[in-house]
Amino acid sequence: MVQKQKTQAHGPFVVHAARLRRQIGSRWHEVRRGVIEDLACSGSAVPEGAEIEADVVLESVVGGVSVTGTVQATWTGTCRRCLEAAGDTLVVPVREHFTEGGDGEETYPLHDGEVDLEPMVRDAVLLELPQAPLCRPQCQGICPTCGVNRNEETCRCRPQRDERWAALDVLRDS
Ligand SMILES: [Zn+2]
């Protein structure tokens, strides 16, 4: 009882895997959803309160549990070209091992048969959050001369360039 005191309140990503571990090769499918605070990088962030989903298969292996599947999260940010809102959904493949004594470097920790997927989910999302997001792959950005958002208006600052594009369009259409 006393040793349980230090265990944090069980989050939505904690899987009780003691039964799974009794037989090597046993597998479980788990879908867990929950909020993880402070998932952000310089260019984007998971919105506050947005749930992240882990859809994984846990397999009992010698020395621990392997976890394979995907982590899904939404993000929002500011487009680096046009400075409008940007956002999308990330689907990140994961393939990790949980072992007794794991420290989050080579493997994640396994405590008393409990697999806490949260650190793995956190790492997976942080690695994939875009540092320099775009609102769309072909965003035209803001004209550095006149400040027009070129997604919304045709910029008149560089007619030469526009003509060249127009010529290409004619070629493409013919
Ligand atoms: Zn943009």
Side-chain angles (χ1 to χ4, degrees):
M1 276 302 175
V2 176
Q3 75 194 44
K4 280 276 170 195
Q5 272 181 351
K6 278 191 176 174
T7 314
Q8 288 186 341
H10 286 170
F13 292 103
V14 174
V15 180
H16 301 274
R19 201 160 54 81
L20 174 84
R21 293 202 65 208
R22 279 183 212 143
Q23 194 179 349
I24 299 292
S26 304
R27 288 171 165 226
W28 276 350
H29 180 214
E30 292 279 343
V31 179
R32 298 297 182 98
R33 287 181 197 87
V35 173
I36 299 177
E37 306 285 329
D38 302 323
L39 279 179
C41 71
S42 56
S44 60
V46 175
E48 207 175 310
E51 286 201 323
I52 297 162
E53 182 182 289
D55 185 335
V56 293
V57 171
L58 285 77
E59 181 174 354
S60 179
V61 296
V62 175
V65 173
S66 79
V67 175
T68 312
T70 54
V71 168
Q72 192 167 316
T74 55
W75 62 266
T76 56
T78 302
C79 175
R80 74 162 189 262
R81 289 188 195 151
C82 73
L83 307 182
E84 297 291 327
D88 205 349
T89 301
L90 294 175
V91 181
V92 189
V94 288
R95 186 180 192 88
E96 300 293 345
H97 283 275
F98 289 72
T99 57
E100 301 281 353
D103 60 2
E105 297 289 331
E106 291 279 307
T107 63
Y108 289 94
L110 184 65
H111 289 306
D112 300 332
E114 279 183 359
V115 171
D116 185 359
L117 300 172
E118 184 173 319
M120 177 198 77
V121 171
R122 168 181 285 280
D123 290 348
V125 173
L126 280 177
L127 277 175
E128 292 297 320
L129 278 177
Q131 300 278 354
L134 292 175
C135 62
R136 69 200 93 174
Q138 66 281 22
C139 174
Q140 303 295 306
I142 289 174
C143 171
T145 308
C146 71
V148 152
N149 182 338
R150 292 186 288 210
N151 298 311
E152 291 163 4
E153 289 176 57
T154 306
C155 175
R156 303 281 172 204
C157 290
R158 285 193 279 178
Q160 217 183 344
R161 188 165 176 231
D162 287 349
E163 274 162 28
R164 236 180 336 175
W165 284 116
L168 281 174
D169 285 340
V170 170
L171 283 175
R172 205 184 306 144
D173 290 341
S174 63

